[in-house]
Amino acid sequence: MDNPWNTHYHYFDQKKHPPAATLRNAIALSQKLQINPQNRLAVDLGCGNGVDTFALLQDKWNVLAIDKQNEALLRIKENTPDTYKQQLQLRLNSFENIDTLPDSQLINATFSLPFCHPDHFDTLWAIIISSITEKGIFSGHFFGTNDAWSSNPEMTFHTEKQIKTMFNRFDLIHCKEIEKQGKTISGKEKYWHVFHIVAQKK
């Protein structure tokens, strides 16, 4: 049976989707901070099809792209122009097995963190928090408890109160909670409950 993520990557290859709005907002915020180019390290957690990774490379970030699917990393490696290859590191790892991250000025997690097993989420989040430097930025998404997938015991879901507690060491630059009926990549109907976050560490 084909890996369902292959279908996901193929879909995005065909659609040429732009980077996530949360990441675009985070990049705009980082540009105002005038970070020293030598210190511009971003981590793309669950980098998937690489759209966000490429956006960061184009903005002159050094990027550590992490994914548990080797197929994803191979696609990024193959599709990265030579101009950007020295800026890029690739790491094959699942969220559950991440035990450290480098000091980073930006951590991006577009629709990926909900797929961390709940038994490991708190540990992963503590690692993320500690690796973001002072004034550093987080951009990403979390699924709310009303999401149609919330009965999946392998995934992690949050309430608004939990989200605010998680970001108590940050200024929430953008925090939008959206609930709506929609579709998955495969076209199936689904009720979405998603928190869209951009935050800056105090």
Side-chain angles (χ1 to χ4, degrees):
M1 189 170 110
D2 289 343
N3 185 328
W5 288 105
N6 290 343
T7 303
H8 176 84
Y9 302 141
H10 180 72
Y11 175 90
F12 277 102
D13 285 347
Q14 298 300 315
K15 293 294 183 180
K16 305 298 182 186
H17 273 243
T22 45
L23 177 63
R24 296 199 302 270
N25 289 338
I27 288 175
L29 175 61
S30 73
Q31 290 170 347
K32 295 178 182 178
L33 299 176
Q34 298 182 328
I35 301 169
N36 185 324
Q38 293 181 341
N39 296 328
R40 286 163 59 91
L41 175 62
V43 177
D44 193 7
L45 288 171
C47 54
N49 64 321
V51 168
D52 288 352
T53 297
F54 296 143
L56 288 162
L57 292 172
Q58 289 172 341
D59 196 51
K60 298 183 171 54
W61 286 85
N62 297 306
V63 182
L64 170 59
I66 300 175
D67 204 281
K68 68 176 181 179
Q69 298 290 337
N70 195 46
E71 173 74 14
L73 300 180
L74 288 174
R75 280 172 177 261
I76 291 173
K77 185 176 181 180
E78 290 170 2
N79 292 327
T80 299
D82 290 342
T83 309
Y84 299 123
K85 284 186 175 175
Q86 288 190 337
Q87 297 167 229
L88 177 65
Q89 301 174 61
L90 301 172
R91 182 186 296 178
L92 180 66
N93 208 350
S94 68
F95 290 152
E96 292 79 6
N97 291 322
I98 290 176
D99 55 12
T100 185
L101 290 171
D103 289 344
S104 310
Q105 286 68 48
L106 195 162
I107 289 188
N108 180 63
T110 295
F111 287 97
S112 59
L113 291 180
F115 294 94
C116 177
H117 194 286
D119 290 348
H120 298 271
F121 185 88
D122 288 347
T123 298
L124 174 63
W125 186 245
I127 292 169
I128 291 171
I129 293 296
S130 65
S131 69
I132 297 176
T133 58
E134 183 179 333
K135 301 294 184 183
I137 301 164
F138 173 88
S139 60
H141 306 84
F142 303 88
F143 287 175
T145 52
N146 294 332
D147 194 272
W149 290 340
S150 62
S151 60
N152 186 339
E154 304 292 314
M155 295 176 63
T156 300
F157 302 85
H158 292 92
T159 64
E160 180 183 8
K161 183 178 179 181
Q162 288 171 327
I163 293 291
K164 289 183 177 179
T165 298
M166 287 164 54
F167 284 96
N168 61 5
R169 295 172 59 186
F170 289 75
D171 291 319
L172 282 170
I173 308 300
H174 176 84
C175 179
K176 191 170 185 179
E177 180 181 5
I178 296 178
E179 293 193 47
K180 67 176 183 178
Q181 189 69 31
K183 293 185 179 181
T184 65
I185 294 301
S186 62
K188 293 181 180 179
E189 288 289 328
K190 177 185 180 290
Y191 189 78
W192 295 91
H193 183 193
V194 183
F195 295 93
H196 302 247
I197 304 288
V198 178
Q200 185 175 21
K201 200 170 187 181
K202 295 177 181 178

